[in-house]
Amino acid sequence: MPLIQTQSLLFRAVEEERPGVIWKSLFGEFWPSYRRWYLQGGEAARPYYLPCLRALRKHMPELLPTYDKLAELAGGGDVEARFLSLFCPPPYVTACSQVALTGKRPLLVRNYDYPPQLCEGVILKTAWNGRQVIGVSDCAWGLLDGINEDGLAVSLSFGGRLDIGEGFGVPLVLRYVLETCTRADEASAALARVPVHMSYNVTVIDRRGEFATVYLAPGKTGDIRRLAAVTNHQQKVEWHQHARATSTVERLRRLRLMLQDSELSSEKLIAAFLQAPIYSHAFARGLGTLYSAAYWPSEGRADFFWPGLDWSQSFADFTPGERLIEFGNSPRPHHITRGIDLREETRP
């Protein structure tokens, strides 16, 4: 058996209603790594500040007040402001599964497969624009998945296409949707409208059980489809090497078969996300499942889970804290029971 080096990721639940000292501390922690990533092709490879600002103003103007505040908290530098716009960032590739389940208790379940050293591991609760949002942070203020207080839930998966174009990194588009939309049809329309720089599949579901998946691709209007399950390709497999490495076809087949079961329960569906082929142990190749999440729109609740560990958060009861997860042949959750309050820990 080959030796698999154990890796770990500290997941933190953090709450800050308006951008302030907590977000500033988190940005300071992650910025050195993000700066290296953002400038990997040289500073000239990224758009200048004014094109970034114009793109935000044109496509997601509602985010501008928060963007200005975050840029100020980040130090007001040119590179920081360009990065925070997430306009035409460097490419990045993930491997994820997600499925929407309708019924009396609508549900969105997803797995996020990615190298642990490249994931923030921050579950962030905010009310930046007056609407409460809980989600897993990425690129400092974007989201990998999340839910808002109106019962709209959303998650992303890579779309399996190599094209790169002019547009936004999709985590910021997910933030935009949860900040500005309340229903699945509104969210789908927004996703279809905002340009993205790579191909992604974004699934949305609301408290009424209405759902959709939007196929996003650079240079194209989003393709809105009534699909409950998606993995890492769109209408067909185009990047065959990635498809084989991530078992995207096998995972999608498994999800579709489950959805055909008239007696499928939420418990059975969630359990399947901790089992192969949906769950991935390929941590050594950077393709292991870092976390699973279940979003309950009608309850305003987000459950995060790993083999042997559940961690529930909600708008009614959000508890800051930490969980250390070790990944190897199988992830081992380590409990850190103390709560955290970055307002205390980061105060000068």
Side-chain angles (χ1 to χ4, degrees):
M1 178 181 294
L3 178 64
I4 298 180
Q5 183 178 2
T6 298
Q7 304 176 72
S8 64
L9 177 60
L10 179 66
F11 285 85
R12 289 173 283 181
V14 177
E15 179 178 6
E16 188 174 51
E17 183 172 312
R18 297 287 188 269
V21 65
I22 294 180
W23 185 89
K24 182 178 181 180
S25 175
L26 290 170
F27 182 82
E29 177 182 342
F30 297 127
W31 175 235
S33 295
Y34 275 132
R35 181 184 173 88
R36 288 192 297 271
W37 170 72
Y38 187 70
L39 298 179
Q40 61 186 265
E43 192 168 333
R46 307 273 66 82
Y48 293 111
Y49 169 71
L50 283 179
C52 293
L53 182 63
R54 292 191 189 107
L56 270 176
R57 182 177 292 135
K58 178 179 180 180
H59 298 288
M60 298 183 284
E62 297 92 336
L63 294 185
L64 279 174
T66 301
Y67 169 75
D68 289 339
K69 180 61 177 178
L70 296 181
E72 176 188 338
L73 289 170
D78 175 71
V79 175
E80 289 89 338
R82 291 156 65 189
F83 161 76
L84 287 170
S85 76
L86 271 188
F87 185 60
C88 297
Y92 42 85
V93 176
T94 63
C96 310
S97 306
Q98 57 205 33
V99 63
L101 186 66
T102 60
K104 294 182 179 180
R105 300 174 66 204
L107 174 64
L108 177 63
V109 189
R110 69 102 89 255
N111 276 4
Y112 184 68
D113 304 348
Y114 205 56
Q117 66 272 22
L118 301 180
C119 181
E120 293 181 16
V122 175
I123 301 165
L124 187 60
K125 179 176 181 285
T126 61
W128 288 345
N129 293 287
R131 176 178 281 119
Q132 295 184 87
V133 173
I134 295 173
V136 180
S137 177
D138 188 58
C139 293
W141 69 309
L143 294 170
L144 301 172
D145 44 75
I147 188 171
N148 67 22
E149 65 177 302
D150 295 300
L152 178 67
V154 60
S155 69
L156 65 85
S157 65
F158 175 59
R161 303 174 71 239
L162 284 167
D163 309 48
I164 300 172
E166 183 175 286
F168 293 93
V170 74
L172 186 58
V173 184
L174 264 63
R175 164 67 70 181
Y176 176 67
V177 163
L178 290 182
E179 297 284 354
T180 61
C181 301
T182 62
R183 303 190 313 269
D185 58 345
E186 294 176 329
S188 299
L191 288 162
R193 174 181 58 80
V194 178
V196 295
H197 83 305
M198 292 187 71
S199 295
Y200 281 90
N201 308 323
V202 180
T203 301
V204 297
I205 188 169
D206 60 29
R207 65 169 65 248
R208 302 175 303 166
E210 295 297 322
F211 69 92
T213 290
V214 186
Y215 287 156
L216 305 178
K220 299 180 180 180
T221 300
D223 182 6
I224 303 173
R225 293 175 172 254
R226 189 170 172 79
L227 294 174
V230 289
T231 51
N232 298 121
H233 59 283
Q234 296 185 340
Q235 297 181 52
K236 62 180 181 179
V237 171
E238 297 186 41
W239 186 2
H240 292 276
Q241 182 181 4
H242 180 269
R244 289 191 298 270
T246 62
S247 301
T248 179
V249 174
E250 294 81 0
R251 287 183 285 121
L252 183 58
R253 183 183 300 121
R254 172 64 173 150
L255 290 175
R256 285 177 171 173
L257 285 173
M258 293 189 71
L259 289 175
Q260 292 174 11
D261 182 357
S262 60
E263 297 183 359
L264 176 65
S265 66
S266 57
E267 292 80 10
K268 184 177 179 180
L269 179 63
I270 290 171
F273 273 73
L274 294 177
Q275 302 169 5
I278 304 172
Y279 189 92
S280 172
H281 289 285
F283 301 102
R285 293 185 288 129
L287 297 172
T289 299
L290 299 188
Y291 69 90
S292 306
Y295 291 99
W296 304 87
S298 60
E299 300 167 30
R301 196 174 92 229
D303 296 335
F304 303 93
F305 52 98
W306 302 263
L309 175 65
D310 297 332
W311 193 14
S312 183
Q313 300 285 2
S314 69
F315 294 109
D317 184 15
F318 188 91
T319 306
E322 301 178 347
R323 300 292 187 273
L324 178 63
I325 308 298
E326 291 188 356
F327 306 98
N329 289 318
S330 61
R332 294 175 293 167
H334 283 203
H335 294 264
I336 298 180
T337 56
R338 68 180 181 88
I340 58 172
D341 187 344
L342 290 179
R343 287 166 295 189
E344 296 296 330
E345 297 189 1
T346 60
R347 183 173 296 150

